[in-house]
Amino acid sequence: MKRITQLTIAVVVLISCGIAQAQVPYLNSIQNYYDEVATLKANHPKIENNSRQNFTVYLDYATAAGDNAGGLSNLNSNYVTADTALQYAAVVFDQIAGYTDPTAPTTSIVYYNDLGLFNSYPSNLSITVDSVFWLGSHENNSGNMDYFTTQIVSASGTGVPTTTVLWSQTDSSNVSLSSSGNWTGTGALFQMSLAPAFVTSAGQKIGISIDYNDPTKMDSMGVVGTGVDLNTDGAADSASVYKNSFSKYTYINAGALIKNSNLVYTAGGAFLLQDWNIWLRVTFDYNVGISDVNDNLSVSTVYPNPANSNANVHFFLGNSSNLEVNLVDVTGKMVQTIYNGSMAQGHHDMQVNTSNIPSGIYFVSMKADNGNAVTSKLVVAH
């Protein structure tokens, strides 16, 4: 699905000035944009759709990693090998990490295990991308229309964004989106907000790419990259936890995508361009299971479900416990004893052999110490 719209967006007040350049280094501004980024994220719109289910999470690797320093890089999809700037920027989303409260991102950070997921991106997880957000800056000197294209693309098996476009929207403007007309300096940032309402297939990992089309090269658009400045000396000195951002620098290799994790700057006031400030608001309906009355045993999921030869039960024990696990049919009749013994505290996966069990509906019944039995439905299909 592709949409083209005229861009209407609120911008912050810019209080410094500059001159746009067509050919500039890829790290154009090392101003610390942390405060502006935090302010914009805390005030971004809540875009709703009818697909909302159990959880709403903002997938934001820059925030989840604690990145607190940043810079602007010039981007134009029309740059060629002579232009020392970005032609492409993208982030692949293959982990559940971010925040839950848009008004207080840094104090509501969550990771996959906080939401009951048994790994960072379960193979049976389907998400609805309610909203896409990214931060940039823009100066228009030509009076011509500039085009901003945001795409949802598929990710390869190795976690690299591909050219397969799943959703796309192009916005346009012939005026500067940085409100004073300058693309660098304090107050230059604006926030793009889009509402694709795109639903992934189970286990599908996606990327978000940004393209800016200015054939004249008279105008300038910047994207925000962040890194971790541990000692607040104005230079990033630690790589981000999430190495999921990608760039294309035409003067290095016009055909190659480069992971931002390979670009580490620790001197001269330069920042790590580790995480592009591209993030998502997603909802997903995922069974985090049921806890017993003691909040000791919690079953997260049974997968695959339906199962053929084997199923896995993922569960959590708050304390070391005696554990009994049985498979029963719909009448409550015992079909199989899966486990009976002691189990240490923590997350566990337990395998259920279903190869010799007739197709049908069953329940995995688990009981820890003096707690009640916790049951999970399992469908066997041969």
Side-chain angles (χ1 to χ4, degrees):
M1 177 171 61
K2 184 172 183 178
R3 296 188 289 174
I4 299 179
T5 63
Q6 182 73 28
L7 182 64
T8 302
I9 193 164
V11 297
V12 294
V13 176
L14 190 70
I15 60 174
S16 64
C17 61
I19 299 174
Q21 304 175 54
Q23 299 181 19
V24 286
Y26 49 84
L27 189 63
N28 307 103
S29 170
I30 58 173
Q31 177 174 332
N32 193 328
Y33 288 99
Y34 179 70
D35 289 339
E36 282 188 73
V37 168
T39 299
L40 284 168
K41 287 185 177 180
N43 290 282
H44 64 52
K46 302 176 184 179
I47 302 175
E48 303 283 350
N49 67 51
N50 295 327
S51 301
R52 180 169 182 171
Q53 301 292 332
N54 287 344
F55 299 105
T56 298
V57 182
Y58 292 80
L59 300 187
D60 185 341
Y61 297 148
T63 299
D67 291 3
N68 62 348
L72 278 168
S73 295
N74 204 15
L75 180 147
N76 190 338
S77 302
N78 296 104
Y79 282 151
V80 295
T81 53
D83 299 297
T84 56
L86 287 170
Q87 190 187 55
Y88 171 93
V91 174
V92 169
F93 291 88
D94 60 2
Q95 300 183 59
I96 303 299
Y99 56 90
T100 57
D101 184 356
T103 64
T106 59
T107 58
S108 62
I109 293 174
V110 293
Y111 306 98
Y112 70 92
N113 51 341
D114 297 315
L115 301 173
L117 304 181
F118 61 89
N119 65 35
S120 61
Y121 204 103
S123 60
N124 59 342
L125 178 65
S126 173
I127 65 174
T128 298
V129 181
D130 295 312
S131 314
V132 175
F133 304 98
W134 54 266
L135 295 181
S137 65
H138 175 242
E139 177 177 344
N140 185 291
N141 297 306
S142 67
N144 297 324
M145 199 68 75
D146 296 325
Y147 297 92
F148 308 79
T149 299
T150 307
Q151 295 179 334
I152 299 177
V153 300
S154 63
S156 72
T158 57
V160 177
T162 71
T163 57
T164 301
V165 178
L166 306 173
W167 176 91
S168 176
Q169 179 168 317
T170 298
D171 298 286
S172 60
S173 178
N174 60 357
V175 298
S176 299
L177 298 183
S178 295
S179 57
S180 73
N182 304 298
W183 75 285
T184 59
T186 302
L189 305 186
F190 71 88
Q191 180 173 274
M192 184 73 77
S193 306
L194 308 104
F198 175 82
V199 182
T200 69
S201 57
Q204 182 181 32
K205 298 172 183 178
I206 59 172
I208 304 296
S209 69
I210 301 172
D211 291 301
Y212 168 67
N213 193 320
D214 166 31
T216 68
K217 299 185 183 179
M218 295 177 62
D219 308 327
S220 291
M221 182 266 192
V223 289
V224 180
T226 58
V228 183
D229 182 5
L230 295 176
N231 55 10
T232 63
D233 63 352
D237 44 28
S238 178
S240 172
V241 175
Y242 301 96
K243 300 175 175 61
N244 290 57
S245 293
F246 293 82
S247 305
K248 186 181 289 184
Y249 299 103
T250 55
Y251 70 99
I252 296 176
N253 186 333
L257 289 181
I258 300 173
K259 270 193 174 184
N260 284 4
S261 57
N262 297 329
L263 301 172
V264 180
Y265 300 93
T266 58
F271 293 93
L272 279 171
L273 299 182
Q274 179 59 70
D275 284 311
W276 297 125
N277 267 258
I278 302 171
W279 69 103
L280 310 177
R281 180 184 187 268
V282 304
T283 58
F284 58 90
D285 181 7
Y286 193 83
N287 176 25
V288 297
I290 305 171
S291 297
D292 65 11
V293 293
N294 300 323
D295 288 328
N296 179 36
L297 169 64
S298 176
V299 182
S300 295
T301 187
V302 179
Y303 65 100
N305 200 351
N308 181 2
S309 57
N310 287 288
N312 294 284
V313 182
H314 184 80
F315 61 97
F316 176 77
L317 283 173
N319 302 290
S320 297
S321 307
N322 292 315
L323 182 68
E324 182 180 353
V325 184
N326 297 306
L327 186 68
V328 299
D329 64 17
V330 292
T331 68
K333 180 182 177 181
M334 175 79 71
V335 175
Q336 180 185 132
T337 296
I338 301 170
Y339 184 85
N340 193 347
S342 60
M343 184 73 67
Q345 182 272 345
H347 289 273
H348 301 278
D349 280 291
M350 184 172 291
Q351 190 173 86
V352 182
N353 185 346
T354 59
S355 58
N356 297 318
I357 298 174
S359 296
I361 298 174
Y362 300 88
F363 295 91
V364 179
S365 175
M366 307 183 71
K367 186 175 184 296
D369 287 341
N370 61 348
N372 60 293
V374 176
T375 60
S376 302
K377 182 179 177 181
L378 171 61
V379 178
V380 176
H382 298 298

